[in-house]
Amino acid sequence: MKLAEPKSWSTDSVSERPSTRGPLRPFVRWAGGKSRLLPRILPHVPDRIENYFEPFLGGGAVFLAVNDRVAGHAFLADLNEHLVAAWVAMRDHQDELKSLLEWYQDRDSKDFYYEVRAASPAGLIDRAARFLYLNGVSWNHLWRENSKTGAMNVPWGDRSFKGFDSSTYEALRVALERTVIRASDFREVLADAQGGDFVYLDPPYLPIYSRPDVEKEPTSKFNKYTAKTFEQPDLEDLARICEHLTERGVAWVMSNRDTEYVRELFSGADIVSFTTHRSLGAQSKRQVEAPQSPEAIVIGRF
């Protein structure tokens, strides 16, 4: 089922953007979300943006924080179609979505969670409600998909589903009025960015390997949000695209792990390095990295 606008990124039906808007909190809990890092990221975002592009949307913390800087449209995308369905439903179908989420809330339990996890609804709104329910009560709010079947496989998180209050629905309705949202690869999304636009990139971080030249057993990984993982060739493609963005006069900022390889790929950009806290609760014993890990903000240089 088509989740949003066609590949032309049509904006014909998008209404005028209100002139002011306050910062919003993400309505989706997403591994690797950038809410805590906003004070580090936002100073590098232009005060005025013509069009905004974010091809690794996730919880959308940066978009929700800067949407009042956007004069034109926000083009939002992610490869996870369940996540995209939730964003589209929150924009276009709030009444139906709210009713379904209240139905989930009334039936919420451990057994119900596993029933919902095993289901495969076809309609956009049904898929969106299922996603938001599972995201709300899964272990550590994680969404992880089996690489062979694409099925969500995170266990129950032993928490109650809270849903959303009316002020959240209204704030998101306003914030999403001039957005174009679709499930798409970053290569397609970034093809249309031009001078005056701004691109924020938060790709899945590549795994850290304990012995890169000998064994490929990662000590940590954050690239399992969809059945199709983000791998080294994808990051290399992204680096080449960022060079083209700079040549076209497009401002861009990327969040990533601070590694020698990232610095090599993005050697033409400015890099701000710092350490950030990683939650060990979201990692298995074979995926643990240090609680304080090196983070990089990569900034396109003009």
Side-chain angles (χ1 to χ4, degrees), residues 25-59:
R25 294 174 60 87
F27 68 102
V28 172
R29 297 284 295 272
W30 203 244
K34 293 300 181 287
S35 292
R36 290 188 296 108
L37 298 186
L38 288 176
R40 298 274 192 174
I41 297 170
L42 296 186
H44 305 290
V45 179
D47 291 335
R48 186 190 184 281
I49 300 165
E50 185 57 39
N51 296 304
Y52 178 95
F53 292 78
E54 186 167 349
F56 305 98
L57 181 57

Side-chain angles (χ1 to χ4, degrees), residues 78-243:
D78 200 283
L79 277 183
N80 190 305
E81 294 193 356
H82 307 279
L83 170 72
V84 171
W87 279 88
V88 172
M90 188 61 78
R91 183 192 63 188
D92 297 340
H93 307 286
Q94 284 197 1
D95 290 343
E96 301 96 318
L97 180 65
K98 182 178 180 182
S99 178
L100 263 179
L101 291 178
E102 290 173 349
W103 184 86
Y104 277 113
Q105 193 167 14
D106 290 342
R107 290 157 179 78
D108 184 28
S109 70
K110 180 180 180 180
D111 289 342
F112 182 69
Y113 172 84
Y114 285 106
E115 290 178 16
V116 173
R117 197 185 74 170
S120 300
L124 185 145
I125 302 171
D126 291 332
R127 293 169 65 191
R130 173 181 177 269
F131 171 87
L132 290 170
Y133 172 70
L134 295 178
N135 177 258
V137 298
S138 66
W139 179 70
N140 265 14
H141 301 280
L142 287 180
W143 184 277
R144 182 183 60 216
E145 295 183 3
N146 183 288
S147 59
K148 294 182 179 179
T149 66
M152 194 272 201
N153 58 12
V154 179
W156 181 60
D158 193 15
R159 65 170 57 83
S160 299
F161 181 61
K162 297 181 179 179
F164 308 101
D165 59 28
S166 57
S167 62
T168 298
Y169 282 108
E170 176 59 20
L172 287 168
R173 183 193 64 77
V174 174
L176 296 175
E177 281 182 346
R178 284 185 66 80
T179 59
V180 181
I181 309 171
R182 76 171 192 237
S184 185
D185 184 85
F186 69 90
R187 298 166 183 87
E188 296 178 0
V189 176
L190 298 178
D192 294 331
Q194 301 296 327
D197 296 341
F198 173 74
V199 173
Y200 174 66
L201 304 164
D202 187 21
Y205 295 1
L206 296 184
I208 296 175
Y209 294 99
S210 54
R211 299 175 61 191
D213 299 328
V214 179
E215 58 187 55
K216 292 299 183 182
E217 180 59 43
T219 60
S220 64
K221 51 189 175 184
F222 291 90
N223 61 346
K224 295 290 291 182
Y225 311 118
T226 64
K228 180 186 182 301
T229 58
F230 187 90
E231 304 291 350
Q232 182 174 317
D234 298 306
L235 186 61
E236 293 170 353
D237 282 350
L238 183 59
R240 286 189 288 269
I241 289 172
C242 285
E243 291 179 2

Side-chain angles (χ1 to χ4, degrees), residues 217-278:
E217 180 59 43
T219 60
S220 64
K221 51 189 175 184
F222 291 90
N223 61 346
K224 295 290 291 182
Y225 311 118
T226 64
K228 180 186 182 301
T229 58
F230 187 90
E231 304 291 350
Q232 182 174 317
D234 298 306
L235 186 61
E236 293 170 353
D237 282 350
L238 183 59
R240 286 189 288 269
I241 289 172
C242 285
E243 291 179 2
H244 295 316
L245 290 174
T246 298
E247 292 170 359
R248 300 201 301 266
V250 179
W252 59 271
V253 169
M254 181 185 74
S255 297
N256 215 304
R257 202 191 308 275
D258 189 3
T259 65
E260 291 184 8
Y261 187 61
V262 168
R263 287 178 172 270
E264 176 185 340
L265 284 180
F266 295 88
S267 59
D270 294 323
I271 296 180
V272 177
S273 180
F274 58 98
T275 58
T276 187
H277 180 77
R278 306 274 186 223

